[in-house]
Amino acid sequence: MTHSTSDVFATIERDSERYLEELKDYLRIPSVSTDPAFAADVARCADFLRTRMEASGLQAEIIETQGHPLVLAERHVSDALPTLLFYGHYDVQPPDPLEEWRNPPFEPTVEGDLLVARGATDDKGQSYAHVKAIDALLATRDELPVNVKFLVEGEEESGGEAIEHYVRSEPGRERLGADAVVVSDSSMYAPGQPSLLYGLKGILYVEIRVTGPNRDLHSGTFGGAVRNPGNTIADIVARLRDPETGRILIPGFYDSVRPLEDWERKEFAALPLDEEEYRKDLGIAATFGEEGYSTLERSWARPTLDVNGLWSGYQGPGAKTVLPAISGAKVSMRLVPDQDPDEIGRSLEAFVAQMPTDGATVEVDVLHGAGPLLVDIEGPFAAAAMSAMQDVWGKPPVKVREGGSIPIVGTLNEVLGAPTLLMGFGLSDDRLHSPNEKFNLSHYYQGIRTTARLLDRAAEISGAS
């Protein structure tokens, strides 16, 4: 039986201002998971979410972990109905550099159709749309059309160890069983163009540190006599990639890379991409990357290596002629099927170890890693997701891959054995991880509608009325 969601959509329209104010309150909590100084705020944010879930009609609880807490919620309607598990994260990236924000990062500001704040799109706004869909359905009807579960973590931006342990634990496996997993922590291809994501890159994140003399030295007195850790870290980083072709030079790096299928290259090429507008939006004169591949192919389906941070010596105003004692770099590698982050990590360490660094000590620490993922976009739940998106957005979704990583998705896919529906409502220009992060309010409300419609479409799989 086909369900009508017009009544639910009317409720969403009626309560839209409340949904916005709740999201603003959620965004005001500085839940920066990577910085211990924000630990109390992260815990407060988890409790806020638990409270809002309960108010929306879910049974919710805090799961304490060795790190930041998880929020687990559910509503069970009938054993005869499918169960959808919604994943999200309530932690956010640090807001630095603060001086580049138009307004304070944790004071949500509406600018036309945009809601600007840290976490607006990554991932508070997108995942909160799932909660408000439950709110709207239960405000309109006696019961949900299917069973739902929610698992929202507080460490996605800092490694995700707590949720990894929980999902693999016996209590986690027992409580999280579901027929499909729904994740909204990604971007649509373009404004108003729904997208079903079928590929995520893996990640290997390392820190390379070079230690030289036992103190900073005068660069005139000791320059030329002592290996400079600043020069050395620059040499190491420079040897990781070919500056002209963009090819990564770690031995064996490409050995396991799964080539793009012909159909993928055709579908990517058919997607509209204005290269000039792309460059203009980023303020760059030209794109750059691995030779022989398009911008979309490089971003979505080819491995990359990028420096995310560098430190060395004096960085204040003016000059200080110092030879630094310690220098370092943070480097991330985005991996594609069938690359193994552990193997790549060992290859990187061996490659750095054979570089000329006599007189200095070099350490490579792997901070975290996760494998790449391709999900099956066939089957009844994928069809339900695509149908729901078309119903709400008025056009069929396109099938895309993503250059980012959501480490726990692969674990959920492996442990639960359920299809994963990656249906994001953000946009690639949302400035996630950057100052002035934003989320289009129209996409927030459309995300609520899409989630509600998905639950109705999922109920039809079992023949429920």
Side-chain angles (χ1 to χ4, degrees):
M1 175 180 177
T2 301
H3 295 260
S4 170
T5 44
S6 59
D7 52 350
V8 180
F9 289 180
T11 297
I12 295 169
E13 183 68 26
R14 182 196 70 199
D15 292 341
S16 61
E17 190 61 31
R18 174 170 65 85
Y19 296 165
L20 174 57
E21 291 307 312
E22 288 180 17
L23 178 54
K24 286 182 178 180
D25 288 341
Y26 193 19
L27 292 167
R28 288 188 178 101
I29 304 173
S31 50
V32 180
S33 62
T34 196
D35 188 342
F38 291 88
D41 292 306
V42 175
R44 181 164 61 93
C45 193
D47 193 60
F48 173 91
L49 181 58
R50 177 191 61 79
T51 300
R52 294 316 316 164
M53 284 178 159
E54 289 178 342
S56 295
L58 297 162
Q59 292 180 311
E61 63 181 289
I62 300 292
I63 304 292
E64 298 295 343
T65 74
Q66 293 292 321
H68 296 304
L70 305 170
V71 184
L72 184 65
E74 64 181 319
R75 190 177 180 97
H76 185 79
V77 182
S78 168
D79 289 343
L81 294 173
T83 299
L84 270 62
L85 170 65
F86 291 91
Y87 162 82
H89 65 91
Y90 65 84
D91 66 317
V92 301
Q93 283 276 325
D96 313 77
L98 295 175
E99 66 274 8
E100 294 186 16
W101 286 81
R102 293 190 294 272
N103 295 286
F106 295 107
E107 184 47 54
T109 305
V110 175
E111 300 178 357
D113 185 46
L114 309 182
L115 181 63
V116 180
R118 173 57 86 230
T121 192
D122 186 21
D123 176 45
K124 289 181 176 179
Q126 294 200 61
S127 62
Y128 200 61
H130 300 156
V131 179
K132 292 299 96 181
I134 304 301
D135 190 307
L137 282 161
L138 290 175
T140 309
R141 304 177 186 171
D142 293 334
E143 192 50 271
L144 297 179
V146 296
N147 308 309
V148 297
K149 297 179 181 180
F150 283 75
L151 181 63
V152 187
E153 68 164 312
E155 294 181 356
E156 197 276 342
E157 302 291 9
S158 55
E161 291 185 15
I163 194 172
E164 178 77 18
H165 291 312
Y166 182 74
V167 171
R168 293 188 181 279
S169 71
E170 185 174 345
R173 292 195 304 271
E174 289 179 356
R175 298 196 64 181
L176 297 175
D179 297 288
V181 179
V182 183
V183 181
S184 297
D185 188 17
S186 56
S187 299
M188 298 167 57
Y189 182 69
Q193 174 58 67
S195 308
L196 188 64
L197 186 64
Y198 70 92
L200 290 166
K201 286 185 178 179
I203 188 170
L204 176 65
Y205 197 104
V206 305
E207 184 173 289
I208 305 172
R209 292 189 303 277
V210 180
T211 304
N214 59 11
R215 62 189 183 277
D216 288 355
L217 301 176
H218 188 290
S219 65
T221 302
F222 294 95
V226 176
R227 183 178 289 277
N228 183 333
N231 293 352
T232 304
I233 194 65
D235 292 340
I236 291 172
V237 167
R239 290 168 182 257
L240 297 178
R241 295 171 76 247
D242 187 303
E244 295 184 1
T245 67
R247 190 168 178 82
I248 297 159
L249 301 178
I250 300 169
F253 187 84
Y254 293 95
D255 287 357
S256 300
V257 171
R258 188 187 306 180
L260 276 160
E261 302 280 353
D262 288 342
W263 70 265
E264 292 180 289
R265 301 197 79 167
K266 289 177 182 177
E267 290 214 6
F268 292 0
L271 292 170
L273 177 65
D274 186 329
E275 292 273 358
E276 182 178 354
E277 185 59 34
Y278 183 88
R279 294 191 299 270
K280 181 180 178 182
D281 176 62
L282 299 176
I284 58 175
T287 56
F288 174 77
E290 186 182 2
E291 284 186 337
Y293 296 92
S294 70
T295 297
L296 289 181
E297 289 171 346
R298 295 195 302 257
S299 297
W300 291 353
R302 294 297 296 174
T304 61
L305 183 150
D306 288 288
V307 172
N308 302 138
L310 280 168
W311 67 95
S312 177
Y314 179 68
Q315 298 177 46
K320 182 181 181 183
T321 52
V322 62
L323 190 158
I326 300 174
S327 297
K330 294 182 185 290
V331 178
S332 66
M333 285 146 279
R334 300 287 179 165
L335 310 178
V336 300
D338 295 293
Q339 289 180 298
D340 183 320
D342 293 333
E343 290 182 5
I344 298 296
R346 289 190 291 269
S347 297
L348 172 64
E349 290 185 70
F351 186 47
V352 172
Q354 57 84 38
M355 293 182 186
T357 58
D358 292 347
T361 300
V362 180
E363 299 173 278
V364 178
D365 286 343
V366 174
L367 301 187
H368 65 266
L373 178 70
L374 289 180
V375 299
D376 186 3
I377 48 176
E378 303 296 331
F381 287 100
M386 289 188 281
S387 177
M389 286 187 278
Q390 178 154 357
D391 290 346
V392 172
W393 297 85
K395 60 179 69 173
V398 294
K399 300 170 185 177
V400 299
R401 287 167 71 166
E402 167 63 55
S405 308
I406 311 176
I408 195 58
V409 171
T411 303
L412 289 169
N413 193 63
E414 173 193 340
V415 173
L416 302 183
T420 304
L421 309 175
L422 295 159
M423 41 190 294
F425 309 122
L427 293 171
S428 59
D429 68 354
D430 278 346
R431 295 177 176 266
L432 57 167
H433 295 202
S434 299
N436 303 306
E437 178 181 348
K438 60 88 173 172
F439 189 32
N440 287 57
L441 288 173
S442 55
H443 283 210
Y444 174 48
Y445 296 123
Q446 286 287 75
I448 299 171
R449 296 183 187 101
T450 303
T451 304
R453 190 67 183 130
L454 170 63
L455 296 184
D456 276 343
R457 287 294 190 187
E460 294 165 12
I461 293 172
S462 65
S465 59

